[in-house]
Amino acid sequence: MGDKTIKTALVTGAGQGLGASMAEHAARHGFRVGVLDLDKNNAEAVAGRIDGIPLAADVTDADAVEAALDTLGQAPDLLINNAGILRTGPLMEHSVDNFRLVVDVNLNSVFVVAQAAARRMKDNGGGTIINMASINAINPSTLCGAYATAKAGVICLTRQMAMEWGEFKIRVNSIAPGFIDSGMSEPFYKDARIRELRGNAVPLKRLGSADDIAETAMFLASDAAAYISGENITVDGGVIHSVLMQLPRE
Ligand SMILES: NC(=O)c1ccc[n+]([C@@H]2O[C@H](COP(=O)([O-])OP(=O)(O)OC[C@H]3O[C@@H](n4cnc5c(N)ncnc54)[C@H](O)[C@@H]3O)[C@@H](O)[C@H]2O)c1
């Protein structure tokens, strides 16, 4: 079963964006990292950079997830459920298939992967799970109805898992990133005007980075967060609290 002194992490959707960054940070923190992604080439490229284990799997496929965990060989001490997709559109026009896909990849997969990992963590004496939510889970926004609904479910599922799995020494928390200049949002922020407008709308006057998210994940994964479970940490420079500050005054 491998060297027990080296901790193992599994990061899903780690082939690019925030997942790749969190996989790199975890490796720097001494974890042996399973780099899981639907995109085999990207998983291999990231794993190659950090001496990790590439795992090509679809997080919605329970059998594929079991096989990936078997390949990892050791119960993960840390699981980061990061894989996600964004499909935008007004609810009036969203196809049912698209809505289902968004919920399947962003929410149902969190249950699939966390359950498979938590069973192994339980037998191994515990572990830590971090689920990626979004500020969309807290505040609805234009065209993001399916995504927001799925991410709200992620926060609720996080709390439920934390309550049920605490007795097995498994901590479960979520992170809700805000306007992040990486991953799925990168194309959007290529437009200099949007970058400036969005950055200025944030109380801290800048967009967030992949490092901002990865550093939060590393804190939640660490012993410094040993008594934190069932929490959602919003990492958004304060933007979700700013709505009343932006209302017209006259
Ligand atoms: N980037 C942002 O602005 C932002 C903001 C809030 C929340 N998030 C969340 O952070 C997470 C990472 O987002 P990102 O911006 O890095 O996105 P991204 O699109 O750059 O990366 C997502 C990764 O997940 C993988 N993936 C997608 N479906 C999969 C599946 N079924 N099985 C396995 N892998 C799959 C993709 O191949 C890709 O490598 C997502 O959950 C996203 O919703 C991102």
Side-chain angles (χ1 to χ4, degrees):
M1 286 291 278
D3 184 346
K4 284 281 248 178
T5 59
I6 297 176
K7 292 200 166 184
T8 300
L10 176 63
V11 184
T12 73
Q16 65 176 57
L18 305 187
S21 174
M22 289 188 283
E24 285 160 5
H25 276 71
R28 252 180 265 144
H29 280 73
F31 284 94
R32 173 181 162 267
V33 185
V35 178
L36 189 151
D37 206 285
L38 198 55
D39 188 316
K40 186 170 178 283
N41 291 337
N42 283 355
E44 283 173 353
V46 173
R49 289 206 294 274
I50 63 172
D51 205 13
I53 302 114
L55 301 164
D58 181 338
V59 286
T60 65
D61 178 342
D63 292 338
V65 167
E66 280 292 337
L69 278 159
D70 287 346
T71 304
L72 196 58
Q74 192 157 327
D77 300 281
L78 166 65
L79 164 66
I80 305 182
N81 269 315
N82 165 78
I85 56 166
L86 179 65
R87 296 283 184 279
T88 52
L91 287 176
M92 281 283 186
E93 284 152 37
H94 232 298
S95 75
V96 173
D97 281 350
N98 239 349
F99 196 96
R100 284 203 176 109
L101 178 68
V102 169
V103 174
D104 207 22
V105 177
N106 290 292
L107 173 59
N108 298 347
S109 76
V110 172
F111 169 69
V112 169
V113 184
Q115 186 194 57
R119 286 174 173 163
R120 288 164 168 83
M121 287 175 175
K122 179 185 167 202
D123 292 343
N124 204 37
T128 302
I129 299 174
I130 299 166
N131 299 322
M132 293 302 283
S134 164
I135 54 168
N136 284 108
I138 299 152
N139 284 349
S141 83
T142 321
L143 307 181
C144 291
Y147 181 79
T149 303
K151 292 299 191 181
V154 169
I155 292 178
C156 186
L157 184 57
T158 297
R159 292 185 189 133
Q160 187 74 27
M161 288 171 172
M163 295 307 100
E164 293 195 22
W165 297 345
E167 66 177 298
F168 309 126
K169 297 192 168 51
I170 300 172
R171 294 188 298 111
V172 192
N173 295 289
S174 59
I175 296 174
F179 304 160
I180 308 299
D181 189 13
S182 176
M184 59 174 64
S185 304
E186 216 175 324
F188 185 64
Y189 293 125
K190 282 221 178 336
D191 182 331
R193 204 178 125 265
I194 299 279
R195 283 183 66 85
E196 198 187 335
L197 287 171
R198 284 281 181 107
N200 279 332
V202 177
L204 284 178
K205 299 295 169 206
R206 68 168 176 89
L207 299 173
S209 67
D211 276 351
D212 288 323
I213 304 305
E215 292 291 352
T216 306
M218 291 305 102
F219 163 68
L220 283 174
S222 75
D223 287 345
Y227 204 52
I228 300 177
S229 196
E231 272 306 311
N232 177 65
I233 300 192
T234 302
V235 185
D236 72 340
V239 79
I240 58 162
H241 300 302
S242 69
V243 62
L244 297 182
M245 308 284 284
Q246 292 172 16
L247 290 178
R249 292 280 152 198
E250 341 214 328

PDB file of all heavy atoms in Angstrom, residues 120-155:
ATOM      1  N   ARG A 120     -12.643   4.811   1.640  1.00  0.00           N
ATOM      2  CA  ARG A 120     -11.228   4.463   1.820  1.00  0.00           C
ATOM      3  C   ARG A 120     -10.621   5.259   2.978  1.00  0.00           C
ATOM      4  O   ARG A 120      -9.812   4.732   3.751  1.00  0.00           O
ATOM      5  CB  ARG A 120     -10.459   4.730   0.520  1.00  0.00           C
ATOM      6  CG  ARG A 120     -10.791   3.706  -0.584  1.00  0.00           C
ATOM      7  CD  ARG A 120     -10.340   4.211  -1.941  1.00  0.00           C
ATOM      8  NE  ARG A 120     -10.367   3.200  -2.985  1.00  0.00           N
ATOM      9  CZ  ARG A 120     -11.457   2.851  -3.677  1.00  0.00           C
ATOM     10  NH1 ARG A 120     -12.632   3.440  -3.421  1.00  0.00           N
ATOM     11  NH2 ARG A 120     -11.390   1.922  -4.615  1.00  0.00           N
ATOM     12  N   MET A 121     -10.986   6.550   3.078  1.00  0.00           N
ATOM     13  CA  MET A 121     -10.466   7.375   4.182  1.00  0.00           C
ATOM     14  C   MET A 121     -10.885   6.789   5.526  1.00  0.00           C
ATOM     15  O   MET A 121     -10.103   6.750   6.476  1.00  0.00           O
ATOM     16  CB  MET A 121     -11.013   8.808   4.076  1.00  0.00           C
ATOM     17  CG  MET A 121     -10.412   9.638   2.954  1.00  0.00           C
ATOM     18  SD  MET A 121     -11.246  11.253   2.866  1.00  0.00           S
ATOM     19  CE  MET A 121     -10.274  12.062   1.588  1.00  0.00           C
ATOM     20  N   LYS A 122     -12.138   6.363   5.618  1.00  0.00           N
ATOM     21  CA  LYS A 122     -12.667   5.786   6.861  1.00  0.00           C
ATOM     22  C   LYS A 122     -11.806   4.601   7.294  1.00  0.00           C
ATOM     23  O   LYS A 122     -11.401   4.499   8.452  1.00  0.00           O
ATOM     24  CB  LYS A 122     -14.117   5.342   6.621  1.00  0.00           C
ATOM     25  CG  LYS A 122     -14.786   4.714   7.812  1.00  0.00           C
ATOM     26  CD  LYS A 122     -16.169   4.210   7.450  1.00  0.00           C
ATOM     27  CE  LYS A 122     -16.698   3.314   8.563  1.00  0.00           C
ATOM     28  NZ  LYS A 122     -17.748   2.409   8.115  1.00  0.00           N
ATOM     29  N   ASP A 123     -11.490   3.716   6.351  1.00  0.00           N
ATOM     30  CA  ASP A 123     -10.678   2.536   6.668  1.00  0.00           C
ATOM     31  C   ASP A 123      -9.238   2.916   6.997  1.00  0.00           C
ATOM     32  O   ASP A 123      -8.516   2.145   7.617  1.00  0.00           O
ATOM     33  CB  ASP A 123     -10.670   1.556   5.474  1.00  0.00           C
ATOM     34  CG  ASP A 123     -12.041   0.935   5.268  1.00  0.00           C
ATOM     35  OD1 ASP A 123     -12.875   1.007   6.197  1.00  0.00           O
ATOM     36  OD2 ASP A 123     -12.291   0.392   4.166  1.00  0.00           O
ATOM     37  N   ASN A 124      -8.841   4.113   6.566  1.00  0.00           N
ATOM     38  CA  ASN A 124      -7.453   4.563   6.748  1.00  0.00           C
ATOM     39  C   ASN A 124      -7.302   5.493   7.955  1.00  0.00           C
ATOM     40  O   ASN A 124      -6.246   6.037   8.176  1.00  0.00           O
ATOM     41  CB  ASN A 124      -7.014   5.288   5.462  1.00  0.00           C
ATOM     42  CG  ASN A 124      -5.519   5.295   5.278  1.00  0.00           C
ATOM     43  OD1 ASN A 124      -4.842   4.329   5.594  1.00  0.00           O
ATOM     44  ND2 ASN A 124      -4.985   6.401   4.784  1.00  0.00           N
ATOM     45  N   GLY A 125      -8.397   5.754   8.672  1.00  0.00           N
ATOM     46  CA  GLY A 125      -8.305   6.589   9.881  1.00  0.00           C
ATOM     47  C   GLY A 125      -8.637   8.046   9.676  1.00  0.00           C
ATOM     48  O   GLY A 125      -8.455   8.858  10.585  1.00  0.00           O
ATOM     49  N   GLY A 126      -9.116   8.421   8.489  1.00  0.00           N
ATOM     50  CA  GLY A 126      -9.591   9.797   8.294  1.00  0.00           C
ATOM     51  C   GLY A 126      -9.046  10.453   7.047  1.00  0.00           C
ATOM     52  O   GLY A 126      -8.345   9.819   6.248  1.00  0.00           O
ATOM     53  N   GLY A 127      -9.388  11.729   6.883  1.00  0.00           N
ATOM     54  CA  GLY A 127      -8.941  12.472   5.709  1.00  0.00           C
ATOM     55  C   GLY A 127      -9.658  13.810   5.630  1.00  0.00           C
ATOM     56  O   GLY A 127     -10.415  14.194   6.529  1.00  0.00           O
ATOM     57  N   THR A 128      -9.418  14.497   4.547  1.00  0.00           N
ATOM     58  CA  THR A 128      -9.999  15.830   4.342  1.00  0.00           C
ATOM     59  C   THR A 128     -10.538  15.945   2.919  1.00  0.00           C
ATOM     60  O   THR A 128      -9.859  15.538   1.973  1.00  0.00           O
ATOM     61  CB  THR A 128      -8.918  16.918   4.521  1.00  0.00           C
ATOM     62  OG1 THR A 128      -8.369  16.794   5.820  1.00  0.00           O
ATOM     63  CG2 THR A 128      -9.492  18.304   4.382  1.00  0.00           C
ATOM     64  N   ILE A 129     -11.735  16.502   2.798  1.00  0.00           N
ATOM     65  CA  ILE A 129     -12.332  16.695   1.468  1.00  0.00           C
ATOM     66  C   ILE A 129     -12.634  18.184   1.285  1.00  0.00           C
ATOM     67  O   ILE A 129     -13.159  18.838   2.191  1.00  0.00           O
ATOM     68  CB  ILE A 129     -13.630  15.863   1.330  1.00  0.00           C
ATOM     69  CG1 ILE A 129     -13.315  14.366   1.481  1.00  0.00           C
ATOM     70  CG2 ILE A 129     -14.317  16.136  -0.016  1.00  0.00           C
ATOM     71  CD1 ILE A 129     -14.536  13.452   1.498  1.00  0.00           C
ATOM     72  N   ILE A 130     -12.288  18.680   0.099  1.00  0.00           N
ATOM     73  CA  ILE A 130     -12.601  20.066  -0.254  1.00  0.00           C
ATOM     74  C   ILE A 130     -13.407  20.036  -1.552  1.00  0.00           C
ATOM     75  O   ILE A 130     -12.975  19.431  -2.542  1.00  0.00           O
ATOM     76  CB  ILE A 130     -11.311  20.896  -0.453  1.00  0.00           C
ATOM     77  CG1 ILE A 130     -10.504  20.934   0.846  1.00  0.00           C
ATOM     78  CG2 ILE A 130     -11.651  22.315  -0.923  1.00  0.00           C
ATOM     79  CD1 ILE A 130      -9.080  21.436   0.675  1.00  0.00           C
ATOM     80  N   ASN A 131     -14.569  20.646  -1.538  1.00  0.00           N
ATOM     81  CA  ASN A 131     -15.435  20.686  -2.725  1.00  0.00           C
ATOM     82  C   ASN A 131     -15.462  22.103  -3.296  1.00  0.00           C
ATOM     83  O   ASN A 131     -15.586  23.078  -2.536  1.00  0.00           O
ATOM     84  CB  ASN A 131     -16.855  20.254  -2.346  1.00  0.00           C
ATOM     85  CG  ASN A 131     -16.899  18.837  -1.808  1.00  0.00           C
ATOM     86  OD1 ASN A 131     -16.185  17.958  -2.294  1.00  0.00           O
ATOM     87  ND2 ASN A 131     -17.722  18.600  -0.797  1.00  0.00           N
ATOM     88  N   MET A 132     -15.370  22.209  -4.606  1.00  0.00           N
ATOM     89  CA  MET A 132     -15.368  23.539  -5.223  1.00  0.00           C
ATOM     90  C   MET A 132     -16.786  23.993  -5.518  1.00  0.00           C
ATOM     91  O   MET A 132     -17.490  23.393  -6.337  1.00  0.00           O
ATOM     92  CB  MET A 132     -14.567  23.520  -6.526  1.00  0.00           C
ATOM     93  CG  MET A 132     -13.090  23.282  -6.302  1.00  0.00           C
ATOM     94  SD  MET A 132     -12.337  24.521  -5.232  1.00  0.00           S
ATOM     95  CE  MET A 132     -12.220  25.843  -6.402  1.00  0.00           C
ATOM     96  N   ALA A 133     -17.170  25.064  -4.856  1.00  0.00           N
ATOM     97  CA  ALA A 133     -18.474  25.687  -5.112  1.00  0.00           C
ATOM     98  C   ALA A 133     -18.222  26.917  -5.984  1.00  0.00           C
ATOM     99  O   ALA A 133     -17.366  26.897  -6.876  1.00  0.00           O
ATOM    100  CB  ALA A 133     -19.155  26.032  -3.792  1.00  0.00           C
ATOM    101  N   SER A 134     -18.928  27.989  -5.742  1.00  0.00           N
ATOM    102  CA  SER A 134     -18.775  29.228  -6.511  1.00  0.00           C
ATOM    103  C   SER A 134     -19.600  30.301  -5.804  1.00  0.00           C
ATOM    104  O   SER A 134     -20.578  29.973  -5.112  1.00  0.00           O
ATOM    105  CB  SER A 134     -19.320  29.043  -7.933  1.00  0.00           C
ATOM    106  OG  SER A 134     -19.511  30.296  -8.567  1.00  0.00           O
ATOM    107  N   ILE A 135     -19.249  31.583  -6.030  1.00  0.00           N
ATOM    108  CA  ILE A 135     -20.123  32.635  -5.484  1.00  0.00           C
ATOM    109  C   ILE A 135     -21.499  32.580  -6.144  1.00  0.00           C
ATOM    110  O   ILE A 135     -22.463  33.102  -5.606  1.00  0.00           O
ATOM    111  CB  ILE A 135     -19.515  34.056  -5.590  1.00  0.00           C
ATOM    112  CG1 ILE A 135     -19.096  34.393  -7.017  1.00  0.00           C
ATOM    113  CG2 ILE A 135     -18.395  34.242  -4.605  1.00  0.00           C
ATOM    114  CD1 ILE A 135     -18.773  35.871  -7.216  1.00  0.00           C
ATOM    115  N   ASN A 136     -21.594  31.909  -7.301  1.00  0.00           N
ATOM    116  CA  ASN A 136     -22.912  31.730  -7.924  1.00  0.00           C
ATOM    117  C   ASN A 136     -23.848  30.909  -7.046  1.00  0.00           C
ATOM    118  O   ASN A 136     -25.069  30.989  -7.179  1.00  0.00           O
ATOM    119  CB  ASN A 136     -22.774  31.038  -9.277  1.00  0.00           C
ATOM    120  CG  ASN A 136     -22.263  31.974 -10.339  1.00  0.00           C
ATOM    121  OD1 ASN A 136     -21.119  31.862 -10.762  1.00  0.00           O
ATOM    122  ND2 ASN A 136     -23.084  32.914 -10.754  1.00  0.00           N
ATOM    123  N   ALA A 137     -23.269  30.104  -6.160  1.00  0.00           N
ATOM    124  CA  ALA A 137     -24.089  29.289  -5.247  1.00  0.00           C
ATOM    125  C   ALA A 137     -24.813  30.173  -4.247  1.00  0.00           C
ATOM    126  O   ALA A 137     -25.829  29.784  -3.678  1.00  0.00           O
ATOM    127  CB  ALA A 137     -23.195  28.299  -4.499  1.00  0.00           C
ATOM    128  N   ILE A 138     -24.262  31.363  -4.007  1.00  0.00           N
ATOM    129  CA  ILE A 138     -24.778  32.244  -2.955  1.00  0.00           C
ATOM    130  C   ILE A 138     -25.659  33.340  -3.558  1.00  0.00           C
ATOM    131  O   ILE A 138     -26.730  33.647  -3.051  1.00  0.00           O
ATOM    132  CB  ILE A 138     -23.593  32.847  -2.168  1.00  0.00           C
ATOM    133  CG1 ILE A 138     -22.794  31.692  -1.517  1.00  0.00           C
ATOM    134  CG2 ILE A 138     -24.069  33.844  -1.106  1.00  0.00           C
ATOM    135  CD1 ILE A 138     -21.345  31.969  -1.304  1.00  0.00           C
ATOM    136  N   ASN A 139     -25.206  33.916  -4.670  1.00  0.00           N
ATOM    137  CA  ASN A 139     -25.975  34.956  -5.362  1.00  0.00           C
ATOM    138  C   ASN A 139     -26.249  34.529  -6.804  1.00  0.00           C
ATOM    139  O   ASN A 139     -25.305  34.240  -7.538  1.00  0.00           O
ATOM    140  CB  ASN A 139     -25.172  36.268  -5.416  1.00  0.00           C
ATOM    141  CG  ASN A 139     -25.162  36.987  -4.087  1.00  0.00           C
ATOM    142  OD1 ASN A 139     -25.896  36.630  -3.174  1.00  0.00           O
ATOM    143  ND2 ASN A 139     -24.322  37.988  -3.975  1.00  0.00           N
ATOM    144  N   PRO A 140     -27.507  34.511  -7.215  1.00  0.00           N
ATOM    145  CA  PRO A 140     -27.787  34.211  -8.624  1.00  0.00           C
ATOM    146  C   PRO A 140     -27.141  35.254  -9.525  1.00  0.00           C
ATOM    147  O   PRO A 140     -26.936  36.401  -9.104  1.00  0.00           O
ATOM    148  CB  PRO A 140     -29.310  34.331  -8.730  1.00  0.00           C
ATOM    149  CG  PRO A 140     -29.822  34.438  -7.347  1.00  0.00           C
ATOM    150  CD  PRO A 140     -28.700  34.894  -6.468  1.00  0.00           C
ATOM    151  N   SER A 141     -26.769  34.863 -10.748  1.00  0.00           N
ATOM    152  CA  SER A 141     -26.275  35.876 -11.679  1.00  0.00           C
ATOM    153  C   SER A 141     -26.757  35.536 -13.087  1.00  0.00           C
ATOM    154  O   SER A 141     -27.227  34.430 -13.343  1.00  0.00           O
ATOM    155  CB  SER A 141     -24.743  35.982 -11.615  1.00  0.00           C
ATOM    156  OG  SER A 141     -24.140  35.019 -12.408  1.00  0.00           O
ATOM    157  N   THR A 142     -26.597  36.482 -13.964  1.00  0.00           N
ATOM    158  CA  THR A 142     -27.128  36.362 -15.318  1.00  0.00           C
ATOM    159  C   THR A 142     -26.686  35.071 -16.001  1.00  0.00           C
ATOM    160  O   THR A 142     -25.489  34.751 -15.996  1.00  0.00           O
ATOM    161  CB  THR A 142     -26.605  37.550 -16.167  1.00  0.00           C
ATOM    162  OG1 THR A 142     -26.614  38.708 -15.351  1.00  0.00           O
ATOM    163  CG2 THR A 142     -27.449  37.767 -17.393  1.00  0.00           C
ATOM    164  N   LEU A 143     -27.607  34.334 -16.545  1.00  0.00           N
ATOM    165  CA  LEU A 143     -27.351  33.174 -17.416  1.00  0.00           C
ATOM    166  C   LEU A 143     -26.750  31.953 -16.719  1.00  0.00           C
ATOM    167  O   LEU A 143     -26.353  31.003 -17.380  1.00  0.00           O
ATOM    168  CB  LEU A 143     -26.442  33.557 -18.598  1.00  0.00           C
ATOM    169  CG  LEU A 143     -26.877  34.754 -19.448  1.00  0.00           C
ATOM    170  CD1 LEU A 143     -25.880  34.980 -20.581  1.00  0.00           C
ATOM    171  CD2 LEU A 143     -28.270  34.554 -20.024  1.00  0.00           C
ATOM    172  N   CYS A 144     -26.641  31.988 -15.393  1.00  0.00           N
ATOM    173  CA  CYS A 144     -25.937  30.898 -14.696  1.00  0.00           C
ATOM    174  C   CYS A 144     -26.873  30.024 -13.856  1.00  0.00           C
ATOM    175  O   CYS A 144     -26.448  29.423 -12.866  1.00  0.00           O
ATOM    176  CB  CYS A 144     -24.839  31.456 -13.808  1.00  0.00           C
ATOM    177  SG  CYS A 144     -23.479  32.148 -14.742  1.00  0.00           S
ATOM    178  N   GLY A 145     -28.139  29.927 -14.229  1.00  0.00           N
ATOM    179  CA  GLY A 145     -29.143  29.238 -13.397  1.00  0.00           C
ATOM    180  C   GLY A 145     -28.810  27.791 -13.081  1.00  0.00           C
ATOM    181  O   GLY A 145     -28.897  27.358 -11.926  1.00  0.00           O
ATOM    182  N   ALA A 146     -28.410  27.031 -14.089  1.00  0.00           N
ATOM    183  CA  ALA A 146     -28.115  25.613 -13.852  1.00  0.00           C
ATOM    184  C   ALA A 146     -26.862  25.466 -12.996  1.00  0.00           C
ATOM    185  O   ALA A 146     -26.828  24.703 -12.024  1.00  0.00           O
ATOM    186  CB  ALA A 146     -27.913  24.900 -15.195  1.00  0.00           C
ATOM    187  N   TYR A 147     -25.841  26.235 -13.348  1.00  0.00           N
ATOM    188  CA  TYR A 147     -24.556  26.194 -12.632  1.00  0.00           C
ATOM    189  C   TYR A 147     -24.737  26.605 -11.168  1.00  0.00           C
ATOM    190  O   TYR A 147     -24.254  25.948 -10.249  1.00  0.00           O
ATOM    191  CB  TYR A 147     -23.594  27.126 -13.368  1.00  0.00           C
ATOM    192  CG  TYR A 147     -22.197  27.230 -12.819  1.00  0.00           C
ATOM    193  CD1 TYR A 147     -21.248  26.239 -13.082  1.00  0.00           C
ATOM    194  CD2 TYR A 147     -21.804  28.338 -12.076  1.00  0.00           C
ATOM    195  CE1 TYR A 147     -19.947  26.360 -12.609  1.00  0.00           C
ATOM    196  CE2 TYR A 147     -20.507  28.466 -11.599  1.00  0.00           C
ATOM    197  CZ  TYR A 147     -19.583  27.469 -11.866  1.00  0.00           C
ATOM    198  OH  TYR A 147     -18.294  27.588 -11.398  1.00  0.00           O
ATOM    199  N   ALA A 148     -25.470  27.706 -10.962  1.00  0.00           N
ATOM    200  CA  ALA A 148     -25.690  28.217  -9.600  1.00  0.00           C
ATOM    201  C   ALA A 148     -26.429  27.186  -8.755  1.00  0.00           C
ATOM    202  O   ALA A 148     -26.102  26.962  -7.580  1.00  0.00           O
ATOM    203  CB  ALA A 148     -26.480  29.526  -9.659  1.00  0.00           C
ATOM    204  N   THR A 149     -27.420  26.539  -9.356  1.00  0.00           N
ATOM    205  CA  THR A 149     -28.199  25.532  -8.634  1.00  0.00           C
ATOM    206  C   THR A 149     -27.308  24.362  -8.220  1.00  0.00           C
ATOM    207  O   THR A 149     -27.357  23.894  -7.075  1.00  0.00           O
ATOM    208  CB  THR A 149     -29.337  25.022  -9.547  1.00  0.00           C
ATOM    209  OG1 THR A 149     -30.121  26.146  -9.948  1.00  0.00           O
ATOM    210  CG2 THR A 149     -30.210  24.019  -8.835  1.00  0.00           C
ATOM    211  N   ALA A 150     -26.483  23.910  -9.161  1.00  0.00           N
ATOM    212  CA  ALA A 150     -25.578  22.794  -8.854  1.00  0.00           C
ATOM    213  C   ALA A 150     -24.594  23.175  -7.755  1.00  0.00           C
ATOM    214  O   ALA A 150     -24.334  22.396  -6.831  1.00  0.00           O
ATOM    215  CB  ALA A 150     -24.823  22.378 -10.123  1.00  0.00           C
ATOM    216  N   LYS A 151     -24.053  24.393  -7.829  1.00  0.00           N
ATOM    217  CA  LYS A 151     -23.050  24.817  -6.845  1.00  0.00           C
ATOM    218  C   LYS A 151     -23.678  25.034  -5.466  1.00  0.00           C
ATOM    219  O   LYS A 151     -23.041  24.794  -4.441  1.00  0.00           O
ATOM    220  CB  LYS A 151     -22.329  26.081  -7.325  1.00  0.00           C
ATOM    221  CG  LYS A 151     -21.443  25.856  -8.549  1.00  0.00           C
ATOM    222  CD  LYS A 151     -20.332  24.857  -8.276  1.00  0.00           C
ATOM    223  CE  LYS A 151     -19.293  24.818  -9.391  1.00  0.00           C
ATOM    224  NZ  LYS A 151     -18.236  23.820  -9.133  1.00  0.00           N
ATOM    225  N   ALA A 152     -24.930  25.497  -5.423  1.00  0.00           N
ATOM    226  CA  ALA A 152     -25.633  25.607  -4.135  1.00  0.00           C
ATOM    227  C   ALA A 152     -25.772  24.211  -3.533  1.00  0.00           C
ATOM    228  O   ALA A 152     -25.605  24.016  -2.320  1.00  0.00           O
ATOM    229  CB  ALA A 152     -26.998  26.256  -4.333  1.00  0.00           C
ATOM    230  N   GLY A 153     -26.041  23.230  -4.382  1.00  0.00           N
ATOM    231  CA  GLY A 153     -26.115  21.846  -3.916  1.00  0.00           C
ATOM    232  C   GLY A 153     -24.782  21.372  -3.352  1.00  0.00           C
ATOM    233  O   GLY A 153     -24.743  20.605  -2.379  1.00  0.00           O
ATOM    234  N   VAL A 154     -23.687  21.830  -3.947  1.00  0.00           N
ATOM    235  CA  VAL A 154     -22.355  21.438  -3.463  1.00  0.00           C
ATOM    236  C   VAL A 154     -22.149  21.916  -2.021  1.00  0.00           C
ATOM    237  O   VAL A 154     -21.635  21.176  -1.168  1.00  0.00           O
ATOM    238  CB  VAL A 154     -21.238  21.994  -4.385  1.00  0.00           C
ATOM    239  CG1 VAL A 154     -19.858  21.829  -3.749  1.00  0.00           C
ATOM    240  CG2 VAL A 154     -21.275  21.302  -5.747  1.00  0.00           C
ATOM    241  N   ILE A 155     -22.592  23.136  -1.733  1.00  0.00           N
ATOM    242  CA  ILE A 155     -22.424  23.658  -0.364  1.00  0.00           C
ATOM    243  C   ILE A 155     -23.277  22.845   0.615  1.00  0.00           C
ATOM    244  O   ILE A 155     -22.828  22.479   1.707  1.00  0.00           O
ATOM    245  CB  ILE A 155     -22.771  25.163  -0.312  1.00  0.00           C
ATOM    246  CG1 ILE A 155     -21.719  25.959  -1.101  1.00  0.00           C
ATOM    247  CG2 ILE A 155     -22.854  25.662   1.129  1.00  0.00           C
ATOM    248  CD1 ILE A 155     -21.962  27.464  -1.164  1.00  0.00           C
TER     249      ILE A 155
END
